[in-house]
Every structure is written in C-alpha cells, then in structure tokens.
C-alpha cells in the first residue's frame, strides 16, 4: 500500500554532498483517518534529515502527504510508514520524523522515529529523542 | 490495590519492533484525591516510552487513569505506582513518567520517575531528568 | 541561626528507595529582607532532588520558608543556607536549589547551588547549571 | 556568481584573537526569489561564528544579503552558498548558518549548514544541529 | 581606559568557597555609544560565574556599567572588555558574559565570551555557547 | 438537586456596600461528568460579580464546586445552574459566569451566562459578553 | 447542496430560554478543498451564539463539519454557507461565525459573518467585528 | 488603623493640572497575611489614576504598601482600604485599584475598586471594569 | 504610477451581498524600498473590509503587493496609496488598512488608514483605530 | 529648556490631509536621568497621532529623544513635556503619548497623556486611556 503512496515523492540532486548539513521541514496540516472510529485525525509532522545524493522536493512531499487524507492509520504506524517511505526514496545519511497529533479524549500523542544509516536497525536511539 | 487498577490497561502489537522509536503521551486532565485533606488534586502526566513487543492502547490508558479520580494518593507515590503499572503491562524498552501537579499553598511539584530496562533498579538516572 | 529555622522541616518515608527518581518543587512566593537596606526582597525557589530514605513534607517546607519573611540575608548566602538545611534534614542522593530574585536597580539575579552527595564539597558542578 | 556577491563583504580586525568567543547575528529580513515560480521567498538567517583574525562588518553583511533580493535560488543552495561566502571572506574558527523560511503550500523549511575548520569537509556535524 | 572603569567595581567575601555554585546576573538596561555613528546602542548583559574568594557587589556592578553610557565601543570589543574587567576584579573560577544588542539596520547581534580559569586563553569554548 | 448543592455555599458581610466594586474568582480545576458518556469533563470557571450585602466565602465556593466531581451535567446547563445557585445565595448587584471546557472530539466550548439584577430575566446581554 | 449537509445537524432543548446567554464553540480542525487548485485548505472556526428554543448538539456539529473535508469551497462562501445552515437549524437569537484560514502564498485570511435576528439582512454589523 | 498606615504616603505637586492624564503604577510584590490562617498572601496591585493637584510619590507608595507585610486583611477589604487611603491623600480626579492575588486552594481572585470623583459613592462602575 | 500598479488587482463576485460581513487578510511579507536611503523596508499589512458587489482575489492581491518590492515609498504614503487602490478596484462598503513596519534606528511605526464609504473624506475615524 | 530640545524636531508635508489616518511610532530605547538619584531611567514611548498639515520626521524624532539621555526629569513631567513639544511642532488633529518605564524598587509606572485638539485643555480624556 505504502509503495503506491511513495510513487508521488520526487527528489533533486544535492549540490553540496561534501557537507553534512541538515534540512528541517514542518508540515502542520497533516490529516488522516482513525481506522477504529472512521473520524479524522490531525497532526503536525516535523521531518529532519541530512541529505546524501538527493534532497526531497517539497511540492511532491506535500502531495505525498495529501494521500493520507482519506486513509485509515494508527498514530504509531503512520509515523513509521512515512519515515520508511522517505528513507527509501531519498537514502539520507540520517533522518528523524516527529508526528505530534491533536488531543483525543483529553490525551495528545507525539511519535518520534529515527533512521540513522544502514546499520541503524536494532540500534537504540537516544531516549531523549522524544523531546 | 494497584493490581486491580492495571486490569483496565490494554495493549496492541508493536508493528515496528526492529526500530527503537519513542511515543510521548500527554494527559493534562489527571485528578486524584489528597489522602490527608480529602481534597482533589490536579496534574498533567507526560508518559514517554520506547515500546518493545506491545504499545499501550490510548483509550484504555484514559480509563485506567480515571480510576484515580476518587482515590487517595500522595504525589510521590502515585507517580511511581502508575509507572510500575505501565511497565508491568507493556514491558517497554524504556519508560519515563513526569507528573506535574497544580499549586497547593503557593507551591507546585513535579515528580519524574524512569524505568530504563530490567537492570535499572538501583541505577542512578541522569539528574537532569527532572527538567 | 539556621539550625533553629530547620527545626520546622519535616520528612516522610520514601516508599520507592530502590528507584532514583526526581522531585521538583517550585515556591514562587519566597520573600526575605535585604540586610543592607531593610527593604523586602522577592524571589522564586526551585528545589530539585532525588530522595534517599525520606522525602521533604511540603507543608513543613512552606512553613520553613515563611521564617525568612522578616529575616535579613544576601541572595548568595540565603540560597546556600537553605540548601544546607534541606540537605541536613533529608540526606538526599542529590539536590539542587535555584533562587531567582526579582529586579533591583534594573538588575535581576539567579543563584544556583547543588549538592551532589557526600563527596561533593570541592567538586565543580557543571557550569551550565545556572541555566 | 557568488564570487561577485561576496565582494561587498568587509571585515575588521578581531582585537581578542587569544579568546575563542562567539558572535551570533540574526537577520530576520532576508528575501530572495524562487527560481521555479519567480515569486519572492522570505526567511530569517542566524549566523553564529568564532572569529579568528577578523570579524564580519555588520553593515557590509546587510548590503551583501540585499543582493539576493532579486536573485533566484533554492533554499538548500542559498544557505550553503552564503556560508561558503562568509567562510571565504572571514576564515573563522567555526561558523554555522541557519536559514528559516516562511511557509509555502502549508510547509515551512529550515536549513542548517556548518563549517568546523579546515578539516571539516566530509565530517558529520552532530545531527542535533538542526535544532 | 578600562582600568579606570573597573575602579568602581567592588566585591565581598564569598561565604561558601567550599561549594562551586553559580550566580547569574541580568542587566537589561545596558547602553553605550556607537563609535562610528555617535548614536546610542542598547543591549542586555547576562553575567554567569562561579565565585572563588569573592562575589561581585551588585550596586557597584550597576555603577560600573553606567560608565559606558557615553562611551563609544563596538559590540564585540565592549563584551570582551567587560569580561576582562570582571575577571580581573573578582578572580572567579569560571565566568561567561552574553551581550544581546537591539536591532540596527534590521540586524541584531549577540556576543558570548567566556573565561574558564587561568589556563583558558587559547582554549576553544564549546561552540554551543552562543545559544 | 441543586438546592442541596447550594447548602454548602457560605457568605460574609460586605464591608464596602456603598461602593460598586468587582470581585473576579477563577477556578481552573472544575470537573464534572458527561451525562451521555459517563466520562469526566474538565473546565475553568471565571466568576465576576459586584457584591451587595454579602460576599461569597472562597473556601465554601471550592467545596460547593467539588460536589460536581461525580455529577452528570451538560455544559450549557451546569453553567446556568451554578449561576442560579450563586445568585440565590449572595443576591449580587450583577454577576457573570464563564465556563471554558477542554476539547472533546477536537472541539472546545465556552458558555457565558450573566445576571444583571432583579429585572434581568428576558433581557439581552451584550452579545460581546462571550469574549 | 448545503441543504443536504445540514441534515446531519441536531439540536436539543434549551433549558434556560428565559436568559440570554452565550455559547462559544471553537473547531480548530476544519478542512475543505480549494475549488481552484484542488488542494486542501485548513482553518479554525469560532461559532458564538445565543440560543433561543434549542442548542446545537456538538457531536452532530462535528459530523456536519466533516462533510466539507472533500468539498470544494472558497473561504468567503463556505463561511457564509455554514452560518446559513446553523441559523436555519437552530434559529438562534444571535449568531456569529469567524473562520480563520492558514496561510497560502504568504497570506492568511479570516472571514467574519454575523446573524443578528430576523431583521438583520441588509443591516450593517459593527465594523470591529472582524477582530 | 488605616489612618496610621496612610501617614507614610507622600505627594508632590502636579505640574500639568490643566491636562487630564493618566498614571498607572504596577506593584507586583504586594504581600499581606491571611487573618484566618495566619499564612502570607501575595498579589499584584495595579493603580491607575488621573491626578488633580498632586501626584503620589512612588517611594512613599512602596513604603506604605510594605506596612501590610505583617498585617492581616481579607482580599476584598484590603483592596478597598488601600483605595480609600490613596484617595484621601491625593484627592485624584479618578482612581482605580486592581488587586490580583495568587492561587489558594486552586482558586485565584482579583478585586477591582474604583473612585470616580466626589459623587461616586453609590454609583455603579461599568461592570466590565473587572477585566 | 499607482494606477499602473492597480491594473494587477482582480475581483470576483460577492455571493452574499445581502449580508454585511468582514474579510481580514494579513500579508506579513510586504517589502518596499526607502526613497531616502535606497534600503529595503519590511512590514506586515492587515486589510479588513466589508465587500459590496465584489471581493478582492487573493492571488492578484499578492502580485499587486509584489510590485512595491523595488519601489521607493514613505511609510505614511504607501499605506494611503494602497488603500486608495484597493478602494478604487473593489468599491467596498468599508475598508481599513494597517501597515506595521519593522524597526529602523530603534523605532518602529504602524500606519492605519480607513475608508468608511462615499462620504468618508474629511470624517474623523475613531482615534482608537490605531490599536 | 524644552524649547531648545524641540529645535531638533523636523516635519514633512502630509500628502493625505483629506483623510483622518493614524500614525503610531514606538520608541523602546528611551532613557533619561532620575533628577533625585542621578541614576538612569529606561522606558518605551508609544506616540499615536492623526497628522494635519505635517507628519513628524522619524530620524529627527530619534535625535530629539536622544537629548533626554543625560537630562534629569520625573516620569510624569517628561511625558507631558514631550507631548507638548510634539504638539507644538506638528499641530496634529489628535495626539497621545504613552511612556512605560522599567521597574524601580519593584514598582513600574506608565504615564498616558493626550492632546485632543485646540479645545482639549480642561477636557477629561476617557479614563480607559491608560490601557
């Protein structure tokens, strides 16, 4: 399913690959559907990454995220899914995604997932990452 | 007593166990009773954890916390009790609970307790954790 | 003199001594007298500590602080004196006291003192502690 | 192209070269043109550096930045270009440039690039640098 | 010139030399003259230090800073000069001075200088110090 | 039902009846139960009134409000009920009650009711009163 | 078209019709589609009204607003349409709707429409209403 | 009792009696004693007035307010008492006193009293004055 | 000159002419040139109006304002000029323009001009309009 | 004395005399000397006026205010003096000056004076003007 979504993502060449620099992109208008209740959820995504060969094109990122508008997904999973898609398409040196959702039932939730390079699976991110 | 309370907590399978990611859940509507004065106390709980096999289901967390509504407990103890319950039920890789209570007598208090894995009892958390 | 003041401080048993957790207590209504001008000073105290065998009882802390209401003391000294009293009474694992005073002559001052266990005298606290 | 731009930059002698101190300069009125749409972009630049032999003269920095007013450049590139110019002219011990752009299409972006001395090319900056 | 200025600075005995504690003093009403334009500059000084044998007396600090009211000095130099004066007079264990100036020409500047003890000349302060 | 609740309210003599002055009391810790879902609701009450012969005693107001802790009531009705009780007990010259409830389902609600003296039933309050 | 949308709106009896009181409901999660670009728009609706015979049921209001999720409408029109629907269904004594949309192209817009009773068509609302 | 207190208040000649201008003085460091519990209360006083023949000297105002430091008084009464004293001493054209006290038992209170000239006793102040 | 500028402004039909409603549009990215120094000025425009037969199309408003990017104009005049253009093109029932410029020489300025219908020339706007 | 000061003030022709518009100028860097203590005072001036034939030139306003840098003046008088100078030089239709001074002795003061045209002496400004 997500493979289809990621087809909309485009990249462009990173003209400064010799430098490890950081791009932070904030998308305060993310919305998806709760798979349990069928009601819309709303949140703000903060993507931070160090590009390697390519950068993520911002308009394509916007269109990619719009696909979740009528798509059911739990907070924890959608955050990990989007991170997987962005890593697959842009092969960054490092990437972190923070998704902060608006309150439901008096409770609000923020999910933080991080990709730290090829060897990162199974590695423990610093616990302070949620801040 | 707390064993009864924790019966309301439910979990669901963590679909990304290969990644150490962080879930932060903020509950600004926590209330319990002061065991000394019988008057209600109010506070905001911030739970931060890295799931292992399961995640904590949010609606069950809300119902679990509602049980403290008419229950007498000191600030310091209730924070540690809730952390113990959440660790017992979800067996996280790491978990931190911050409980910030509203002022009484011109004084306000925040209690921070942390679980850092099986070997953590007796271990010193970083002192900056209270921030 | 301070020995008399500390007689008002009470403690209660720490029920979770196996865990290093942190208690932060903020007292925004501290007031003492300037020994030079005889005019009142005002400040906010932030006490952060990891209890060992006992916790500090909050109402007794409030009454202890009220004793400074008509007592003359310089900013730098009163902060260290209060820290000494609280350490003596509660024997914490660690303790930090930040005292932020309101402006006088267009200048405002914050004093940060820290106790880091039995061997801490002569030790250098991290310089960032004043933040 | 940028070589021409940097001709406007002036420096003056650093009178305290024996001390590693830090100068932070914030320019909230940066504007350039989007090379794709021809529409103006707006952002805030934060330059932080430790001078070596010279400091950057602020009025010349202002005039240098004005040159981008009618100049087309992508976010990622303009940030790296300006950093290169400022490093070339002032040869600092360290320098960081953060460029925070206003929202476009509901998305806002911040780019952080850092120069850490002669040997820094190919080095990984701390990933937290984007904060 | 600065030698004359520092004659106004007074100190008093540090009664807690056995403890490394931190004093932060914020002076939001600093003003000097721009040596180029003859126009007044305005800024906020934040002084943070660990006293050794003496503390800086606050009223004398205020009078010392008033001397810059009609004195011409560049941002970068005045910050280093004041730090030198305060170090010379109080011989602290550590001292940091942050001077944040109000905008000129749409640009605002903050200078951070640090003294880290007798051996600190030529040492690199942590680059994050400007924050 | 409400008649029972109001039995807890106490008053004391207004010593300045010759002056029309205003007392504003803010209770940020109001909680009741949703009669539909059985879940707790939370809100902040702001009471503003001009006393006539008596003032409302604050501790009794606190105890009166605690009675709603396990009581089911809709937002709109509980606000009007509380206003009726407070008017009945204190017979003020004027009184306004604003109840601001925390979000439910992504929606938050504030109810404003006003008593403007004996003849006020049927009178239109200024429409701006909800602000 | 809007007639169909309003079928979802439900009301309940106003139990305090003898008093002119004010209900303010804030919906920060409104989203619709731009009819020109097909891209989603986001905004916050603030509804303020004095009920007459009925109040608007909040859950039905939420479901009513969700219908705009995939519906194309200009800012100015959607605001007036929603006001018309809410007036038709609840026949309030007065009602005001403020719709504040997030930025597009560096520009953000807020539309304020007001119903002031049966005779209000053609009447001039106070010009300050937009604030 | 208050007559004694007001002996400390001093005035100086208003040099612009031909103009009705307004002086606002904010005293955030007011403290008195609760006559019931013997515990200290804290608040911020905001005095606003139009002087007639004299203005209130600020240092004497500070000393006057210090007299309440160990004096027992209810919120409602102390506000009216201070207003009476200031009116008696300075005979202003108009005067308003707002006293905002810090929370006790989760409740905070603000009292607003106003003098509107010789004929003001028995007059109704605008009800919005408490804002 | 301005006649040429206004050629870019477009309008669309107001579909709710029977209602006096208010549209507020905020443009935080306005920039022009200072005619004296040749340096860029920056400001935020807030346009508030009640449409009559037509509304102002937002994309054309953006393009219209971009024309001032390299155009020299004093604060006071550019505000009045833009108001004149917008009135001429859209013939609103009422219109207000507030232009808040960023600091120059430590001074910042806000200009507020208002059109109140055909008879408004020579009329005094409420003096509070600058707020 | 003030007559000399006002010689620095310059004006330029108001090109829109047919419209009553409002210019607000904020000067956050005002400083003068306390005539009693010889110590510097600091404040923020907010000037609001409707020009008639001329506008006040901003650079000359800045130079005019710099004259108070080493000039002793009480808060209440300096505010009225500056208003008199600005009225004398620019003959506005209306003018208001608010001077907000930083705290001294824990007390901060704001003075508001208003000129409302030729007939305004002896007139009562709205008492709310101090806000």
């Amino acid at each position: 399913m997500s493979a289809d979504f990621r087809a909309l993502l485009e990249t462009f060449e990173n003209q400064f690959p010799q430098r490890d620099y950081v791009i932070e992109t904030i998308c305060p208008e993310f919305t998806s559907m709760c798979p349990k209740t069928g009601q819309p959820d709303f949140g703000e995504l903060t993507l931070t990454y160090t590009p390697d060969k390519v950068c993520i094109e911002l308009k394509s990122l916007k269109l990619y995220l719009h696909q979740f508008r009528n798509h059911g997904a739990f907070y924890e999973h959608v955050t990990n899914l989007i991170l997987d898609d962005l890593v697959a398409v842009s092969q960054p040196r490092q990437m972190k995604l923070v998704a902060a959702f608006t309150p439901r039932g008096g409770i609000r939730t923020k999910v933080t997932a991080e990709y730290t390079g090829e060897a990162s699976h199974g590695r423990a991110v610093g616990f302070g990452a949620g801040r």
Side-chain angles (χ1 to χ4, degrees), chain A:
Chain A
M1 164 199 67
S2 185
D4 294 337
F5 275 23
R6 80 175 64 151
L8 282 196
L9 285 167
E10 295 176 14
T11 61
F12 61 93
E13 190 198 350
N14 174 16
Q15 296 191 10
F16 292 84
Q18 72 277 22
R19 180 181 284 148
D20 273 358
Y21 65 100
V22 178
I23 301 170
E24 178 189 279
T25 300
I26 299 183
C27 311
E29 299 176 349
F30 180 77
T31 180
S32 60
M33 306 296 283
C34 174
K36 244 178 153 170
T37 64
Q39 298 297 311
D41 286 322
F42 290 81
E44 176 173 295
L45 304 187
T46 300
L47 173 72
T48 315
Y49 72 104
T50 297
D52 186 26
K53 295 208 174 57
V54 296
C55 299
I56 297 170
E57 203 274 329
L58 289 179
K59 193 170 182 185
S60 80
L61 175 62
K62 186 179 71 171
L63 296 174
Y64 164 78
L65 293 175
H66 288 173
Q67 293 173 301
F68 290 87
R69 189 173 180 80
N70 295 310
H71 177 78
F74 287 104
Y75 293 167
E76 294 82 357
H77 298 166
V78 77
T79 310
N80 281 290
L81 276 172
I82 293 175
L83 178 63
D84 281 354
D85 281 357
L86 295 173
V87 166
V89 165
S90 73
Q91 297 290 334
R93 296 183 190 164
Q94 297 181 94
M95 182 174 275
K96 184 167 73 169
L97 184 65
V98 180
F101 295 92
T102 59
R104 286 294 172 265
I107 287 181
R108 65 180 189 275
T109 290
K110 186 163 71 173
V111 182
T112 301
E114 191 163 357
Y115 166 82
T116 55
E118 291 184 7
S120 74
H121 272 215
R123 196 197 67 104
V125 301
F127 189 55
R131 260 254 86 185

